[in-house]
Amino acid sequence: MGLKLPDDYKHFDQLIWQIPSWGIAIATGVIVAAQQIGTSCQWGITPNQVQALILGFGAVLLSALSIAVHKYRLFQSACLDKLLPKPPFGQKPSAGRYMQGALLLTNGGLFGLTLATLFEIGTYIFLGFFLGIVSWLYIEKRLSLWIKQMDSEL
């Protein structure tokens, strides 16, 4: 006996699973691109500023992907009209929580790397990771409240 899920639910699940690979590709690309900057720059700004600009652009893109995962998870939760029977608890099956966390942790690390490159203070990397964890906890709390509200209205 298989678990029957609506097509909308499967669609959002597929989108949620694709976004982390996009995020890793973006993060890897901007880190490699930032390291390719030479020691001289013709635009009147320092190479560190160019690197920070490239890394910051990647952090903005990862932020957009994080928002997309959050929205997809919310829409996915709205696709089901009741909790699914999944042992040991009646929870909706999804790995989106941990993917969201990994994406936000990567985004925070990239943001911290941007600050560390711009201001030449290495401890900003840890600040970025901390912001990523705090953002993840906040989004999880907010999403769980919305899901509870949706379930109570059914």
Side-chain angles (χ1 to χ4, degrees):
M1 178 173 174
L3 186 61
K4 297 289 184 184
L5 295 170
D7 288 338
D8 290 339
Y9 185 92
K10 293 176 188 176
H11 173 71
F12 286 119
D13 194 54
Q14 183 180 11
L15 290 174
I16 290 170
W17 277 95
Q18 290 174 354
I19 288 183
S21 59
W22 298 344
I24 299 260
I26 289 170
T28 303
V30 297
I31 289 172
V32 169
Q35 290 302 314
Q36 298 300 319
I37 301 298
T39 56
S40 64
C41 192
Q42 302 170 359
W43 302 313
I45 56 177
T46 67
N48 279 355
Q49 291 171 333
V50 174
Q51 289 174 339
L53 183 67
I54 292 170
L55 293 170
F57 178 68
V60 168
L61 291 177
L62 283 181
S63 296
L65 288 178
S66 298
I67 292 169
V69 169
H70 179 66
K71 287 184 176 186
Y72 293 159
R73 289 178 63 205
L74 182 63
F75 295 152
Q76 185 183 41
S77 298
C79 289
L80 296 175
D81 56 350
K82 62 180 177 172
L83 291 175
L84 297 173
K86 182 181 177 210
F89 308 105
Q91 293 183 356
K92 299 172 181 164
S94 178
R97 166 180 293 165
Y98 303 108
M99 288 187 194
Q100 180 93 48
L103 190 60
L104 283 168
L105 194 61
T106 305
N107 189 15
L110 192 57
F111 180 70
L113 187 60
T114 301
L115 293 177
T117 303
L118 187 61
F119 298 113
E120 298 180 2
I121 300 174
T123 54
Y124 281 160
I125 295 173
F126 297 110
L127 175 66
F129 283 122
F130 178 74
L131 288 174
I133 291 171
V134 169
S135 299
W136 178 51
L137 294 174
Y138 173 74
I139 285 176
E140 285 305 312
K141 182 66 175 170
R142 187 174 168 181
L143 188 65
S144 67
L145 291 174
W146 282 345
I147 291 171
K148 266 186 198 175
Q149 182 181 359
M150 282 189 297
D151 287 340
S152 67
E153 291 175 1
L154 293 176

